[in-house]
């Protein structure tokens, strides 16, 4: 885990796994955090969102967004957040981590074509935002916010501009 000054980023080795969409494999590159969320569901903003960034062999990006609601502690984040890098450029220790532990049990999602939410805001990104949020407690959310300088790092929600959002139920 590295503190980029904008967020905390977990980079992976080549064998971190992949997802398959439309018969094509997208390799997991990294995941990072935003606070508050960059997506809304029925107008609701969440205190945190996790982005799992994937790339196929042609360089096309696919991001899985996981909304985080305040509630009970998130067990996977307990271990991950034990030794957060608190200064810009700092890196935490290497950990063995199962990314599936970040995902909700129900696998429904919203899907649309969009862009990355941080510069250079690359276009033509496939987004899959999970319909069911996961939980994190107030301390975990506060610890993330503190580690990135105490200020939100989310991009404001953008207009749809004629895009279609599909929903797949779990």
């Amino acid at each position: 885990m590295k503190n980029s000054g904008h967020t905390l980023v977990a980079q992976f080795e080549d064998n971190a796994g992949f997802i398959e969409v439309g018969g094509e494999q997208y390799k997991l590159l990294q995941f990072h955090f935003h606070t508050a969320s960059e997506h809304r569901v029925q107008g609701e903003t969440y205190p945190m969102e996790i982005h799992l960034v994937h790339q196929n062999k042609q360089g096309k990006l696919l991001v899985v967004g996981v909304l985080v609601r305040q509630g009970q502690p998130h067990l996977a984040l307990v271990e991950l957040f034990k030794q957060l890098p608190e200064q810009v450029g700092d890196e935490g220790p290497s950990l063995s981590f199962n990314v599936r532990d970040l995902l909700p049990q129900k696998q429904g999602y919203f899907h649309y074509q969009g862009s990355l939410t941080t510069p250079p805001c690359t276009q033509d990104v496939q987004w899959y935002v999970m319909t069911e949020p996961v939980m994190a407690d107030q301390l975990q959310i506060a610890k993330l916010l503190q580690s990135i300088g105490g200020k939100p790092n989310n991009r404001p929600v953008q207009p749809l501009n004629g895009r279609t959002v599909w929903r797949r139920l779990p």
Side-chain angles (χ1 to χ4, degrees), residues 8-161:
L8 298 175
V9 180
Q11 300 282 89
F12 290 101
E13 302 290 328
D14 281 341
N15 60 352
F18 64 91
I19 60 175
E20 190 170 313
V21 175
E24 225 174 321
Q25 287 187 359
Y26 289 79
K27 182 175 84 168
L28 178 63
L29 300 177
Q30 53 106 321
F31 69 85
H32 60 271
F33 301 89
H34 292 277
T35 181
S37 66
E38 296 187 322
H39 291 90
R40 283 187 259 178
V41 177
Q42 296 182 348
E44 182 178 356
T45 299
Y46 294 81
M48 187 163 75
E49 186 170 340
I50 306 167
H51 290 170
L52 294 95
V53 181
H54 301 76
Q55 187 175 47
N56 70 8
K57 289 181 181 177
Q58 292 77 36
K60 297 276 186 177
L61 296 173
L62 181 150
V63 181
V64 175
V66 180
L67 300 167
V68 181
R69 180 185 309 275
Q70 187 173 319
Q72 297 178 352
H74 192 297
L75 298 180
L77 294 181
V78 168
E79 194 61 36
L80 198 60
F81 281 16
K82 275 186 180 175
Q83 298 180 32
L84 286 182
E86 295 189 19
Q87 302 296 319
V88 175
D90 284 355
E91 292 187 22
S94 292
L95 297 172
S96 179
F97 187 79
N98 188 343
V99 176
R100 287 184 187 193
D101 294 339
L102 294 175
L103 299 174
Q105 288 183 357
K106 293 183 182 174
Q107 298 294 299
Y109 56 82
F110 299 100
H111 171 61
Y112 69 96
Q113 290 292 122
S115 66
L116 292 181
T117 63
T118 56
C121 298
T122 304
Q123 296 290 316
D124 199 26
V125 174
Q126 289 192 62
W127 279 92
Y128 290 85
V129 180
M130 305 307 291
T131 56
E132 179 181 304
V134 297
M135 298 281 203
D137 69 10
Q138 200 278 330
L139 279 171
Q140 290 173 316
I141 295 165
K143 191 166 185 172
L144 170 67
L145 189 59
Q146 177 187 1
S147 71
I148 59 170
K151 296 179 184 171
N153 67 346
N154 62 321
R155 176 182 176 186
V157 174
Q158 302 296 301
L160 286 175
N161 293 325

